[in-house]
Amino acid sequence: MANILTLPSACDFHIHLRQDDLMKMIVPRILEGGVSLCYVMPNLKPPITKTDQALAYKAQLEQLAPNVTFLMTLYLTPELTPEEIRKAKAHGIVGVKSYPRGVTTNSDSGIESYTTYYDVFRAMEEEGLVLNLHGEVPSDADNDICVLNAEEKFLVHLKQLHHDFPRLKIVLEHATTKAAVDMANDWAGKPHNFCKPVAKFPHDRQALRDVILEGHPRFFLGTDSAPHPDNLKECAQGAAGVFTSPLTMSYLATILESFGALDKLHGFACVYGKRFYGVSEKQGGGREVRLLKESLTVPKNYEYGEDGNAQKGRVVPFLAGQVLNWKVCL
């Protein structure tokens, strides 16, 4: 087996880049992970609901990482109108993110009913914007719904949306069940390793491995890298989300190699997402990434904030202290 892999830089079609000092720590490390295109989530405080907000946030990101292509999104709220969708399209906004209320970080402004937004979805279909779905329903003890079946219970909504808007591009994000994999094919422990939706049963995980091994073009990279300060992870109600940006391609190569899918890395990380979204790197963006077969120990933490700043904090990355088998050569 070759000790060096040469690939185009990866495209991460689901990433959280946060705000303020945390943003300043994360964004310059994107290229370190072998990624040069990012599809940016809008669940900030306050959420990004207007085109002008998205463009202002994009300018901040580009100042921190001028060689990265940032694709921006809006947060689906009742205030979003068809007119704003058309404005967003005219200014290069690529998609709209839907969060069911209360299921993840900063989702208090999330939706409760999709039919309310049908005029917005119709405008998106006409303008070619993508609908990104956080595919879970809120936990509900009275109806026997919890994190283990929240995704599967959501799929009826996905099926209805596709039926009502057959030309609307829809992404079911971070699929974690065999049922979600099957639907996509049909119609087109430790707090710092905890994310949502949670990984489900062995047969669900095997379905995800199998679809990667198949090289299916509807399944592509979106890390959902979602860092939180360590004090918000190491507490009674630890926040969901893992931090992967600085080592994206090292994680991917190591994990895919573990189940015989290393030859699928190029399509999964570099090709299929661009093809689905119909996007390309900005001029000067994109580059060649070399992965070296060499042991790499994941750092114990990443610090952010200036020295002397009372708000200085730490983020513990995914698999902290563990050894990966591939290293990005910069």
Side-chain angles (χ1 to χ4, degrees):
M1 180 177 293
N3 290 324
I4 296 178
L5 294 176
T6 302
L7 301 168
S9 51
C11 305
D12 189 345
F13 281 96
H14 184 142
I15 191 168
H16 299 267
L17 299 177
R18 303 308 194 207
Q19 296 162 274
D20 303 323
D21 284 341
L22 192 51
M23 174 185 70
K24 294 174 184 176
M25 182 275 286
I26 298 165
V27 175
R29 288 188 162 89
I30 293 170
L31 287 173
E32 293 178 18
V35 172
S36 62
L37 183 150
C38 293
Y39 191 80
V40 183
M41 294 295 104
N43 57 330
L44 306 185
K45 291 183 176 181
I48 296 177
T49 60
K50 300 289 185 181
T51 301
D52 293 343
Q53 289 176 277
L55 296 178
Y57 186 39
K58 182 178 182 180
Q60 294 179 36
L61 300 175
E62 290 180 330
Q63 187 173 12
L64 294 168
N67 293 322
V68 174
T69 299
F70 295 102
L71 304 179
M72 308 309 291
T73 61
L74 300 181
Y75 192 117
L76 184 63
T77 67
E79 291 73 33
L80 189 58
T81 64
E83 291 73 26
E84 188 67 30
I85 291 297
R86 296 186 181 95
K87 178 180 178 180
K89 175 66 176 181
H91 287 83
I93 307 303
V94 179
V96 174
K97 179 64 181 282
S98 163
Y99 293 94
R101 189 181 303 275
V103 300
T104 191
T105 303
N106 298 343
S107 63
D108 293 340
S109 300
I111 71 163
E112 294 181 344
S113 170
Y114 284 104
T115 55
T116 304
Y117 300 95
Y118 268 30
D119 287 343
V120 169
F121 295 157
R122 193 167 295 110
M124 291 174 61
E125 190 176 45
E126 293 168 355
E127 297 293 339
L129 267 69
V130 176
L131 176 60
N132 300 88
L133 298 175
H134 182 115
E136 292 183 294
V137 297
S139 294
D140 182 348
D142 291 338
N143 289 298
D144 199 31
I145 298 173
C146 67
V147 294
L148 291 178
N149 63 358
E151 181 176 273
E152 193 160 353
K153 294 291 186 181
F154 176 85
L155 297 179
V156 64
H157 301 293
L158 174 60
K159 185 175 182 179
Q160 188 64 50
L161 284 170
H162 176 61
H163 176 271
D164 293 343
F165 300 96
R167 294 184 296 107
L168 177 62
K169 283 188 174 183
I170 301 175
V171 175
L172 176 64
E173 301 195 320
H174 38 55
T176 59
T177 61
K178 183 177 184 298
V181 172
D182 290 344
M183 176 165 284
N185 283 330
D186 285 342
W187 62 259
K190 294 180 180 178
H192 298 288
N193 296 341
F194 167 55
C195 62
K196 292 177 66 179
V198 296
K200 305 301 190 299
F201 299 100
H203 69 271
D204 295 312
R205 300 182 190 194
Q206 189 58 49
L208 295 170
R209 296 187 192 103
D210 289 344
V211 82
I212 298 300
L213 284 164
E214 182 185 342
H216 200 301
R218 292 194 195 120
F219 293 82
F220 47 82
L221 174 63
T223 63
D224 197 7
S225 180
H228 294 278
D230 58 355
N231 65 299
L232 297 183
K233 297 286 282 181
E234 300 168 1
C235 60
Q237 292 183 320
V242 299
F243 182 40
T244 59
S245 294
L247 301 170
T248 298
M249 289 294 270
S250 296
Y251 287 122
L252 282 172
T254 299
I255 292 169
L256 267 62
E257 183 183 43
S258 72
F259 61 93
L262 189 59
D263 63 321
K264 307 302 182 185
L265 178 60
H266 176 241
F268 178 73
C270 311
V271 177
Y272 301 149
K274 280 185 183 176
R275 186 181 298 164
F276 176 85
Y277 280 91
V279 298
S280 58
E281 308 271 357
K282 67 180 180 182
Q283 188 173 0
R287 59 176 185 153
E288 199 172 73
V289 171
R290 296 172 70 243
L291 284 163
L292 179 65
K293 186 66 180 286
E294 182 177 302
S295 295
L296 168 67
T297 300
V298 179
K300 292 183 178 180
N301 60 68
Y302 292 88
E303 293 188 344
Y304 65 93
E306 301 296 331
D307 289 338
N309 184 347
Q311 298 301 313
K312 187 172 181 177
R314 297 183 305 174
V315 174
V316 178
F318 182 56
L319 302 180
Q322 296 191 33
V323 177
L324 305 178
N325 298 331
W326 293 89
K327 179 179 180 180
V328 173
C329 301
L330 297 175

